[in-house]
């Protein structure tokens, strides 16, 4: 059975017609299922955990990156497939999975399921990237060596979108069993053009040896004082489109 | 003679699997697979079975092992390369080198012993002996 989780903002007038279109298309394709609408009295964690106990065939998140990211962090390692129907302003995760508002229902019907790795900051999952901010960050990588790099942007990347800038050809793949540490420093640049120096290091586990650090997960949620960053290999079963970006 | 697909002229950032930029400092056993570029500072040990490129600004206080390599920076430690090693004019090595094939550009500094007893060739010879032994055993 399919479980459809509607984000709370879908009740707004401007999204009604789009939601009706999705519902009509889902019915046409014979994919109807139970609908769970989020609201002030219904928390996402209660909904997802409750539904996972019933072992549904698919949990479908209807909403934007924020909802998808929160659903993923609750579903990681469950073995239940995740479907995404993007509605709303920011849909980078769906874009990376090759899903857009037009093809979403067909992608759901085609049911092309792959297993992808998830990144974990302590026990919070992320799909694309986690940025670490703080002063004098020191990291221990895979128990073998430490890295320090002051005044730089430090990110752990699971996969990049096509328009994300990276100075390497070999782009991170979320099926590799590794995450990639991407350290970027802005160089002295010309009047119009910025130049960057970028370090790129594959890893499986990273311990944060600095206290005052924050991790921003998929640019959506923040974890204060994280201690550990790791990979959950094949942690998520997800339905993807043909145009997925990895 | 060289590892398969060994890039003799060096590698670009686009081709490397691991890149340590000039702003990054690494301490410990830095062991990786695939091609690696080091432009920063490394203390401890560096090991890769691929190509290792050490940039002009890099400072390495470590023993180094690599499949092939090109050094333009400073290394304080012993260097062991299975195939081909190129030292450019800005290279400074304070330690012993063990390598199969070596190219040294005018201006490079090498303070240490250089042994070209051919690490790879030794292995190849051993493999050849092993295979001859196996053939003899079969014939017998």
């Amino acid at each position: 059975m399919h479980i459809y989780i509607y984000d709370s903002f879908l009740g707004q007038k401007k999204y009604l017609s789009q939601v009706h279109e999705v519902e009509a298309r889902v019915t046409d394709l014979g994919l109807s299922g139970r609908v769970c609408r989020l609201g002030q009295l219904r928390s996402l964690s209660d909904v997802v955990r409750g539904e996972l106990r019933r072992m549904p065939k698919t949990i479908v998140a209807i909403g934007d990156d924020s909802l998808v990211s929160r659903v993923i962090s609750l579903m990681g390692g469950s073995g239940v497939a995740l479907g995404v129907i993007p509605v709303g302003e920011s849909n980078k995760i769906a874009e990376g999975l090759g899903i857009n508002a037009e093809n979403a229902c067909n992608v759901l019907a085609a049911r092309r399921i792959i297993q992808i790795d998830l990144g974990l900051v302590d026990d919070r999952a992320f799909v694309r990237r986690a940025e670490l901010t703080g002063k004098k960050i020191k990291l221990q990588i895979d128990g073998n060596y430490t890295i320090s790099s002051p005044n730089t942007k430090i990110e752990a990347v699971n996969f990049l979108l096509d328009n994300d800038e990276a100075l390497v050809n070999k782009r991170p793949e979320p099926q590799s069993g590794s995450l990639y540490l991407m350290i970027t420093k802005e160089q002295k640049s010309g009047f119009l053009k910025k130049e960057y120096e970028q370090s790129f290091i594959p890893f499986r586990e990273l311990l944060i040896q600095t206290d005052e650090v924050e991790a921003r997960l998929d640019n959506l949620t923040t974890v204060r004082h994280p201690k550990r960053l790791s990979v959950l290999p094949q942690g998520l079963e997800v339905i993807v489109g043909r145009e997925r970006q990895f | 003679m060289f590892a398969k697909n060994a890039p003799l002229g060096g590698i670009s950032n686009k081709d490397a699997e691991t890149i340590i930029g000039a702003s990054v400092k690494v301490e410990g056993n830095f062991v990786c697979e695939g091609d690696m570029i080091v432009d920063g500072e490394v203390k401890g040990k560096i090991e890769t079975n691929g190509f290792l490129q050490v940039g002009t600004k890099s400072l390495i206080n470590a023993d180094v092992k690599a499949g092939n390599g090109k050094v333009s920076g400073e290394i304080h430690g012993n260097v062991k390369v299975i195939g081909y090693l190129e030292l450019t004019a800005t290279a400074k090595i304070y330690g012993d080198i063990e390598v199969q094939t070596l190219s040294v550009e005018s201006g490079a500094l090498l303070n240490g012993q250089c042994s070209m007893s051919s690490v790879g060739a030794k292995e190849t010879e051993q493999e050849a002996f092993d295979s001859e032994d196996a053939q003899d055993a079969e014939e017998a």
Side-chain angles (χ1 to χ4, degrees), chain A residues 6-75:
Chain A
Y6 285 47
D7 205 339
S8 52
F9 70 83
L10 296 182
Q12 292 173 24
K13 211 173 179 182
K14 65 175 176 178
Y15 294 113
L16 287 181
S17 67
Q18 195 177 346
V19 169
H20 288 153
E21 275 176 35
V22 167
E23 287 170 342
R25 185 72 184 134
V26 161
T27 307
D28 289 347
L29 291 167
L31 300 172
S32 300
R34 190 206 311 271
V35 171
C36 304
R37 295 176 201 275
L38 299 179
Q40 285 181 340
L41 299 174
R42 218 167 175 203
S43 82
L44 180 65
S45 60
D46 289 346
V47 169
V48 174
R49 288 190 181 123
E51 294 301 336
L52 282 176
R53 274 197 286 273
R54 297 189 180 102
M55 285 306 290
K57 191 177 175 190
T58 318
I59 288 184
V60 183
I62 308 182
D64 60 10
D65 279 345
S66 170
L67 175 72
V68 176
S69 171
R70 285 181 293 146
V71 171
I72 286 172
S73 75
L74 293 163
M75 278 183 68

Side-chain angles (χ1 to χ4, degrees), chain A residues 199-231:
Chain A
S199 301
F200 197 74
I201 303 157
F203 73 95
R204 287 171 195 271
E205 186 194 47
L206 174 161
L207 299 179
I208 300 165
Q209 298 187 325
T210 315
D211 289 333
E212 295 299 313
V213 175
E214 280 188 359
R216 184 96 177 129
L217 279 52
D218 289 323
N219 214 17
L220 295 166
T221 50
T222 302
V223 176
R224 289 179 190 277
H225 314 305
K227 292 290 171 212
R228 183 171 176 262
L229 225 150
S230 58
V231 63

